[in-house]
Amino acid sequence: MLRAALREVSTALKEGQVSPTELCQRCLSLIKATKCLNAYITVTEDTALRQAEESEKRYRRGQSLGDLDGIPVAVKDNFSTTGIETTCASNMLKGYIPPYNATVVQKLLDQGAVLIGKTNLDEFAMGSGSTDGIFGPVRNPWSYSKQYREKCGQNSHLENEDSSWLITGGSSGGSAAAVSSFTCFAALGSDTGGSTRNPAAHCGVVGLKPTYGLVSRHGLIPLVNSMDVPGILTRCVDDAATVLGVLAGHDPKDSTTVQDPFNPFKLPSVIDVGKLCIGIPKEYHIPGLSSETLKVWSKAADLFENAGARVIEVSLPHTCYSIVCYHVLCAAEVASNMARFDGLEYGHRSNMDKSTESMYAATRREGFNDVVRGRILSGNYFLLKQNYEKYFIKAQKVRRLIANDFVNVFSSGVDVLLTPTTLRDAVPYVEFIKEDNRTRSAQDDIFTQAANMSAFLHNLGGVRNLCLKNIQVLLYSRQSLTSDLYKKIYVNLSKEYGFKVCIWEEASNLPTQGPIQERAEKPSLQVCTSTEHKWLQHYFLTGNAKPDQI
Amino acid sequence: MAAPVSGGGRLCRLAWRRRAGALHSGAQPAALGREPGKVAAAQSGVAPWRAVVGLEVHAQISSNSKIFSGSQVQFTAPPNSLVSFFDASLPGTLPVLNRRCVEAAVMTGLALSCSINKKSLFDRKHYFYADLPAGYQITQQRLPIAVNGNLSYTLCVGAKQSQMVTKNVRIKQIQLEQDSGKSLHNDARSQTFIDLNRAGVGLMEVVMEPDMCCGEEAAAAVRELQLILQTLGSSQAIMAEGQLRVDANVSVHHPGESYGVRTEVKNINSLRFLARAVDYEIQRQIEELENGGTILNETRAFDYKLGCTIPMRDKEGKQDYRFMPEPNLPPLILYDAKSLPANIDDQQVVNIDWIQERLPDLPSVKRVRLVEQYGILPEHSFTLLNEDGLMELFEDVVRETQMNPKKVIGWVISELLGHLKQYDLTVKESPVNSLSLADLLNLLERGVISSSAAKQVLEELWKGEGKTPLQIVKEKRLELIQNQRELDQICQAVMEGHQEEL
């Protein structure tokens, strides 16, 4: 039952073959049994069982809320969850309990989904291995597969299980491992430079990175606001489409979401890729590419060709600049976004009480790891008045060139780009940590993050991404979301050939202006008073006073 | 740099006056003979100094809720009772622009003859301060909502302050931004308390070019801006409540030379202090330079108790605000009748032309109307507008009486306003309302009482006992006696009572 796809288990729930509570309990015990994976930071056993009970009542009354009712889901620990600790795997937010739900979390709960836990990640989602959080690295479930054991058997030095386990990729490694190890049926990740697609590729699950603006970021603790997208991890493409249907659409709390109405869709079963033109970007054929990945890449291209598609070589000439460009833009936004963590309002506060400034400094030194501090430092450097033109503005210009590469290719008649997701398969942890976080991110995001940069640009239309284990397909079209062409592609890849598919949904009109809110006489529900919220009660002060003195 | 010592402020102030006086003494202020801002050097033979003053005015937008969140805006509320998750910068929260704030800025921009940018952008300005929870302020640095405007204001000059001179100051830009919270320092216990009620309240920063040259001009310009904002309703602009805050950039130079190094004087919370702070700072800079010193490009605070400006310690050192685009707010697009797309939801757009059509009469227009309609003096029209509610009172009285408005204005300004000033009351708080004043003036106009009796009645009315003027006249027997016999009797009685004198 736990290995079933979301849609199958949903049917089982509706037909009464299994009850939501039973399903939840089974997932919870599997989480305990697979604790060594370190996929979860917080397991919300009590609330999950309560939610399952509620769901059960609804089923009994015949008032199920839909496909997700009673389905156990997991959420990356950088999405705010009411009453549930949200840490970003950082000392800075250890013990921080948000008073509100991220929009995507709320949408899942509104559909009756059962939240069973918060998943592990790199600290503040900065990393590509899920190895750099304060709760330790996530282990790839495939480390314990028969195939991998056999492979290790051939290399005697990797025989020791303790040192041979594989990383999940990251930063949404916890979510990928959770879905891959059958402890939940869908999980939320986030994708800024490949953080959903990369671990999905390494853990063999579907990783969907929707186009920027299609899914609300409200409540997602930001890494890079202009590139962050909530990601969806599931075991098959139908499930990803189902979850996307729940999450997508305009959110008045996120001014960067598309304002056009979004119509959820189901994937049909008829297929024909005969008229497709598949582009193979030559710049993605780089020295670091493993022979294994190259082989899969060619095989995927052959599959298309054999099915009648036209496969041609294309060029994305600015690809080589994308990593360095990403690092400048990412560091700059990180420096800005992290400025709020000063120990005053929430999260960690140092005992240093000499002055406000020394308290800030100590709080931030104790709260952030080296990776985060490094990005803050370089980001602030890039934003200095004397450097702004040289770095930030230049990087923004390069970002536009990279996006234009995609526009040019797709407007030349190419329907689909076929590329690897990562250079190679997941590597053992001991291998991975030989390089630092920055070097690793530079290598591992190389095929994914150009899409994050281009997705923000207006009028690009949609870039859609499919992946077969380690292969992704970038799609683009000015056609509407549910056009037959795309249905065919999804189905072709997912059903006909059994590919693991990762789709990107199209945002046909990214907002060119923010929504403007006409506010009622009375303030919105967001308003709270200091007595209602603990986080505000302990708000204040610098100098010698401790919060309890106030 | 010579730091002003305690009490120095007052002395400097006197010196500045004396010197300014010396310059113009003898030279009777022949038509605008006084050239404000041009200050004689201490030693004769040295070129005079010219002062240059530019202003940055922060006006809190009058709106129900904050500029990027749904929290209520209210001046008096318990600390931290009007704080949304966004205002407290909880991670993951995002800004959503308040339409009312945009409209207020557009209205203000139009009233100041600005060109309104149909596309404007938001930026983050970074600095660490306890009452700035996010570590940055959202503002409009690169492309503000309105630019290139103009503000006309009028000064009273001449020996009796009876001549009116109209001056202009260019408006560089108006930008939308967030207010910060408030820090309350308890030095004794070395504690700082933070109140976030104000954090995120919408501000319009109005940047004025350095077209002014003394404290009086600066104060007059701000006063005119204040009246405009209040007329528009875009800000209540009450300085005492911090709804209008002024920073002054001041420098001095010799005519013909380039501008001197400027200082920024912050924390000015009244018009009177603005004038004093600017004049003090001009004088201080002149003295500093004449004593061979240099002016530092620094931020200074005005200490209203000492009457002088002092360097601000916590703003020492050069701040690099590390500006960057605010990624969570797409460009703000405004429309006019021409560019308005068809079939668009009215609630989702701000139409500049629509706002332009609905602009109320500005103070300058009202003044012209008052002068034309009632035949009063221009300076009286200024007085009527300067006092909140006085113009309405005047017009009500005129409507209710047969008295010539030219006479009414004298009663309103010399008598009523004089009384109010004496007791430090506002027009709203006046115990004498337009109705009773009108009654009183009618009694006077009909010859029931004399002018001096009317003043006596006004004194009685001032006690606020709720009596009508007629009641008072009756009680005090203040009527002019029209009856010949009665007058004869009185005269007779007086004469009989004073036989000796006769």
Side-chain angles (χ1 to χ4, degrees):
Chain A
M1 176 69 67
L2 292 187
R3 288 171 181 250
L6 192 155
R7 184 149 293 177
E8 292 158 5
V9 84
S10 181
T11 309
L13 282 167
K14 282 171 197 156
E15 289 171 356
Q17 293 165 23
V18 65
S19 80
T21 308
E22 197 185 341
L23 193 62
C24 180
Q25 275 163 345
R26 281 207 222 168
C27 284
L28 287 168
S29 32
L30 190 55
I31 289 174
K32 278 174 198 152
T34 57
K35 205 163 183 261
C36 66
L37 296 178
N38 202 18
Y40 290 84
I41 290 174
T42 307
V43 180
T44 50
E45 186 163 350
D46 294 344
T47 49
L49 286 169
R50 212 163 42 237
Q51 286 164 356
E53 215 172 287
E54 289 299 315
S55 168
E56 199 156 332
K57 282 181 198 159
R58 287 192 293 269
Y59 275 109
R60 257 189 247 132
R61 288 197 303 262
Q63 294 171 339
S64 147
L65 293 171
D67 287 343
L68 291 185
D69 204 343
I71 303 284
V73 297
V75 172
K76 191 177 179 179
D77 208 23
N78 60 351
F79 287 95
S80 291
T81 43
T82 309
I84 300 167
E85 191 180 1
T86 299
T87 67
C88 285
S90 172
N91 276 322
M92 187 54 94
L93 284 180
K94 218 171 160 185
Y96 167 64
I97 297 175
Y100 76 102
N101 276 329
T103 298
V104 283
V105 172
Q106 192 58 51
K107 282 187 167 181
L108 288 175
L109 295 178
D110 289 346
Q111 292 291 311
V114 173
L115 174 63
I116 55 165
K118 303 292 294 287
T119 59
N120 206 346
L121 65 156
D122 290 299
E123 182 161 332
F124 281 102
M126 296 182 207
S128 60
S130 300
T131 53
D132 284 338
I134 56 160
F135 300 102
V138 186
R139 295 184 179 209
N140 193 325
W142 289 89
S143 312
Y144 307 95
S145 68
K146 210 171 126 198
Q147 300 99 302
Y148 183 63
R149 290 284 175 71
E150 279 167 7
K151 193 176 148 195
C152 288
Q154 294 159 9
N155 309 319
S156 51
H157 66 279
L158 281 177
E159 246 172 63
N160 181 357
E161 192 189 296
D162 238 25
S163 64
S164 66
W165 59 269
L166 304 166
I167 59 144
T168 53
S171 62
S172 311
S175 290
V179 172
S180 178
S181 61
F182 309 112
T183 55
C184 64
F185 293 87
L188 293 184
S190 61
D191 195 315
T192 310
S195 278
T196 293
R197 288 161 291 158
N198 173 303
H202 284 332
C203 294
V205 297
V206 173
L208 184 159
K209 174 208 168 289
T211 301
Y212 186 90
L214 189 66
V215 177
S216 167
R217 292 180 294 115
H218 171 74
L220 167 62
I221 298 177
L223 173 58
V224 184
N225 300 286
S226 62
M227 299 183 206
D228 289 342
V229 181
I232 298 165
L233 296 111
T234 55
R235 290 200 279 273
C236 73
V237 69
D238 287 304
D239 294 353
T242 302
V243 177
L244 180 67
V246 168
L247 301 184
H250 177 65
D251 178 7
K253 290 175 182 156
D254 179 356
S255 305
T256 62
T257 48
V258 283
Q259 288 173 46
D260 307 352
F262 172 80
N263 300 312
F265 60 94
K266 279 186 181 171
L267 303 178
S269 49
V270 193
I271 43 152
D272 173 22
V273 293
K275 288 170 193 141
L276 279 186
C277 178
I278 313 275
I280 308 284
K282 62 178 182 192
E283 287 80 8
Y284 282 50
H285 199 306
I286 52 170
L289 193 64
S290 76
S291 58
E292 205 179 357
T293 304
L294 183 59
K295 222 187 290 169
V296 183
W297 193 10
S298 324
K299 194 179 137 201
D302 290 345
L303 279 169
F304 274 108
E305 208 158 31
N306 295 341
R310 195 157 61 92
V311 178
I312 59 166
E313 185 183 81
V314 296
S315 174
L316 299 166
H318 298 96
T319 302
C320 57
Y321 305 114
S322 71
I323 284 291
V324 63
C325 167
Y326 172 77
H327 275 274
V328 172
L329 296 175
C330 173
E333 282 200 36
V334 163
S336 175
N337 288 332
M338 296 293 149
R340 70 188 55 211
F341 298 103
D342 55 15
L344 281 186
E345 297 89 351
Y346 41 78
H348 176 70
R349 182 192 293 176
S350 169
N351 291 324
M352 169 65 72
D353 59 2
K354 244 170 52 196
S355 69
T356 309
E357 283 74 21
S358 63
M359 191 276 283
Y360 284 166
T363 295
R364 291 164 70 79
R365 187 173 59 246
E366 292 161 14
F368 294 135
N369 70 5
D370 288 351
V371 177
V372 179
R373 288 213 306 280
R375 290 200 196 181
I376 291 172
L377 185 67
S378 50
N380 278 324
Y381 176 80
F382 298 141
L383 289 177
L384 285 177
K385 205 173 175 188
Q386 80 230 37
N387 295 335
Y388 187 72
E389 287 279 331
K390 259 193 297 191
Y391 296 98
F392 192 83
I393 294 290
K394 199 168 273 180
Q396 277 194 319
K397 287 178 180 165
V398 176
R399 181 178 183 173
R400 184 163 285 278
L401 291 176
I402 292 163
N404 285 344
D405 280 356
F406 284 97
V407 174
N408 293 339
V409 163
F410 285 121
S411 53
S412 74
V414 169
D415 298 302
V416 165
L417 287 178
L418 191 68
T419 84
T421 308
T422 59
L423 291 168
R424 63 186 79 80
D425 275 354
V427 296
Y429 178 69
V430 286
E431 287 290 315
F432 187 80
I433 57 170
K434 283 178 186 163
E435 300 276 13
D436 66 21
N437 178 294
R438 211 196 88 82
T439 314
R440 277 298 180 190
S441 301
Q443 292 169 351
D444 296 339
D445 293 345
I446 197 154
F447 296 139
T448 45
Q449 56 80 226
N452 289 79
M453 299 219 258
S454 50
F456 188 52
L457 292 175
H458 309 317
N459 307 322
L460 179 62
V463 176
R464 304 172 185 215
N465 182 359
L466 316 182
C467 72
L468 153 69
K469 194 168 180 199
N470 200 5
I471 297 300
Q472 65 178 348
V473 177
L474 302 169
L475 300 169
Y476 167 84
S477 169
R478 290 199 184 83
Q479 298 174 58
S480 80
L481 198 65
T482 49
S483 78
D484 283 345
L485 181 68
Y486 293 103
K487 287 176 188 168
K488 283 169 194 163
I489 292 163
Y490 303 143
V491 177
N492 190 34
L493 290 166
S494 62
K495 295 194 174 160
E496 184 83 346
Y497 298 105
F499 279 23
K500 294 291 190 328
V501 180
C502 164
I503 53 177
W504 282 11
E505 268 323 321
E506 175 172 33
S508 57
N509 282 312
L510 278 166
T512 49
Q513 75 165 90
I516 303 173
Q517 292 249 302
E518 180 87 66
R519 295 210 172 87
E521 282 298 311
K522 283 188 179 161
S524 78
L525 291 174
Q526 268 195 52
V527 177
C528 60
T529 67
S530 52
T531 47
E532 279 168 8
H533 288 282
K534 282 210 171 121
W535 58 265
L536 258 182
Q537 275 176 356
H538 108 242
Y539 195 86
F540 329 93
L541 134 150
T542 60
N544 294 325
K546 298 285 176 291
D548 53 350
Q549 286 179 282
I550 295 163
Chain B
M1 186 191 62
V5 289
S6 174
R10 204 173 55 83
L11 290 175
C12 286
R13 175 83 191 156
L14 288 176
W16 152 257
R17 277 233 172 111
R18 207 179 304 125
R19 235 176 258 170
L23 174 68
H24 299 291
S25 71
Q28 261 313 315
L32 324 187
R34 188 185 151 199
E35 210 176 325
K38 205 167 185 178
V39 184
Q43 292 85 24
S44 57
V46 181
W49 291 99
R50 189 181 286 274
V52 168
V53 182
L55 300 175
E56 285 165 23
V57 183
H58 288 90
Q60 259 185 18
I61 297 168
S62 167
S63 59
N64 294 322
S65 58
K66 296 181 179 180
I67 184 165
F68 297 125
S69 78
S71 307
Q72 232 184 325
V73 175
Q74 202 187 307
F75 179 62
T76 47
N80 292 310
S81 61
L82 306 172
V83 185
S84 70
F85 302 146
F86 175 79
D87 304 328
S89 80
L90 292 204
T93 52
L94 300 169
V96 179
L97 186 56
N98 183 348
R99 176 197 188 88
R100 159 68 189 161
C101 294
V102 176
E103 288 172 342
V106 170
M107 226 189 272
T108 308
L110 291 171
L112 296 175
S113 320
C114 291
S115 40
I116 306 296
N117 280 325
K118 295 220 181 96
K119 175 184 172 185
S120 61
L121 303 171
F122 290 95
D123 303 282
R124 291 181 179 181
K125 175 182 179 178
H126 299 87
Y127 60 96
F128 281 109
Y129 206 74
D131 55 27
L132 185 76
Y136 57 81
Q137 176 198 35
I138 302 179
T139 178
Q140 294 195 301
Q141 190 231 2
R142 291 167 298 166
L143 197 52
I145 189 160
V147 291
N148 299 334
N150 185 65
L151 172 68
S152 297
Y153 61 97
T154 305
L155 280 177
C156 296
V157 295
K160 290 180 185 162
Q161 298 275 293
S162 59
Q163 279 173 296
M164 313 292 287
V165 188
T166 301
K167 301 220 161 198
N168 277 308
V169 52
R170 288 165 298 152
I171 306 292
K172 184 168 180 252
Q173 62 184 58
I174 299 173
Q175 59 200 50
L176 279 169
E177 58 188 35
Q178 299 169 293
D179 209 341
S180 63
K182 279 183 185 166
S183 300
L184 299 161
H185 302 286
N186 180 342
D187 289 333
R189 295 174 66 188
S190 75
Q191 287 179 325
T192 299
F193 294 88
I194 311 292
D195 178 5
L196 293 182
N197 282 355
R198 202 182 67 177
V201 170
L203 290 180
M204 295 175 281
E205 179 176 335
V206 181
V207 183
M208 297 185 195
E209 299 281 10
D211 296 343
M212 293 150 285
C213 54
C214 65
E216 200 189 345
E217 285 190 11
V222 172
R223 177 60 187 144
E224 187 66 14
L225 175 66
Q226 189 179 29
L227 282 174
I228 291 172
L229 295 174
Q230 287 167 344
T231 306
L232 298 173
S234 61
S235 170
Q236 287 175 281
I238 303 168
M239 289 191 86
E241 294 185 6
Q243 289 159 345
L244 197 71
R245 305 192 288 272
V246 183
D247 300 337
N249 289 304
V250 178
S251 70
V252 298
H253 66 281
H254 291 300
E257 293 173 10
S258 58
Y259 286 5
V261 175
R262 67 174 197 205
T263 58
E264 187 179 12
V265 186
K266 286 192 178 265
N267 291 2
I268 305 172
N269 58 9
S270 84
L271 289 176
R272 202 155 47 94
F273 292 154
L274 171 62
R276 281 172 61 191
V278 167
D279 287 345
Y280 174 86
E281 185 58 19
I282 292 170
Q283 190 61 52
R284 185 192 71 83
Q285 291 189 9
I286 291 171
E287 278 175 19
E288 188 70 39
L289 291 169
E290 288 189 348
N291 292 332
T294 51
I295 302 302
L296 299 176
N297 181 1
E298 63 181 354
T299 305
R300 300 175 70 88
F302 180 67
D303 186 321
Y304 67 93
K305 284 181 198 145
L306 300 177
C308 66
T309 66
I310 44 177
M312 282 174 82
R313 275 217 202 104
D314 57 343
K315 302 265 170 158
E316 259 171 37
K318 255 201 168 165
Q319 287 261 13
D320 190 321
Y321 292 119
R322 290 159 288 132
F323 284 100
M324 66 164 242
E326 167 55 64
N328 294 321
L329 289 168
L332 170 61
I333 307 290
L334 304 175
Y335 297 90
D336 57 19
K338 259 191 233 158
S339 65
L340 193 69
N343 306 324
I344 195 151
D345 181 5
D346 278 351
Q347 295 303 307
Q348 274 302 308
V349 295
V350 171
N351 184 339
I352 301 166
D353 290 339
W354 194 88
I355 293 173
Q356 174 91 65
E357 284 161 20
R358 283 159 185 76
L359 279 187
D361 276 351
L362 294 177
S364 54
V365 176
K366 283 188 197 164
R367 287 187 198 107
V368 171
R369 181 179 62 81
L370 287 170
V371 170
E372 284 175 358
Q373 189 173 342
Y374 302 112
I376 59 173
L377 295 171
E379 57 260 41
H380 286 158
S381 71
F382 274 88
T383 312
L384 285 181
L385 262 82
N386 270 338
E387 301 303 323
D388 197 19
L390 194 62
M391 182 189 83
E392 291 75 11
L393 183 136
F394 167 72
E395 294 199 278
D396 286 347
V397 174
V398 168
R399 214 172 296 122
E400 300 295 325
T401 66
Q402 295 85 44
M403 190 184 259
N404 185 327
K406 286 185 193 173
K407 276 168 78 185
V408 174
I409 192 75
W411 281 89
V412 167
I413 289 180
S414 326
E415 300 305 323
L416 185 81
L417 187 61
H419 266 98
L420 290 173
K421 294 261 161 169
Q422 195 181 333
Y423 294 100
D424 201 18
L425 293 174
T426 64
V427 174
K428 253 190 207 159
E429 294 163 336
S430 171
V432 181
N433 59 24
S434 58
L435 219 69
S436 44
L437 184 60
D439 282 352
L440 175 65
L441 297 187
N442 277 335
L443 291 175
L444 177 63
E445 189 67 11
R446 289 205 310 267
V448 178
I449 52 172
S450 68
S451 180
S452 58
K455 284 181 188 172
Q456 229 177 307
V457 175
L458 193 60
E459 284 294 339
E460 285 301 311
L461 283 174
W462 201 253
K463 291 176 184 164
E465 289 167 345
K467 292 175 191 160
T468 65
L470 194 60
Q471 282 172 324
I472 295 170
V473 168
K474 289 260 152 70
E475 276 175 27
K476 302 257 166 188
R477 305 172 53 86
L478 293 171
E479 301 102 323
L480 285 175
I481 300 163
Q482 317 267 0
N483 185 323
Q484 190 63 42
R485 251 184 62 200
E486 199 178 331
L487 278 172
D488 285 349
Q489 280 173 4
I490 292 170
C491 292
Q492 200 63 43
V494 170
M495 290 206 296
E496 281 166 12
H498 297 80
Q499 287 297 334
E500 279 175 38
E501 285 89 343
L502 284 169

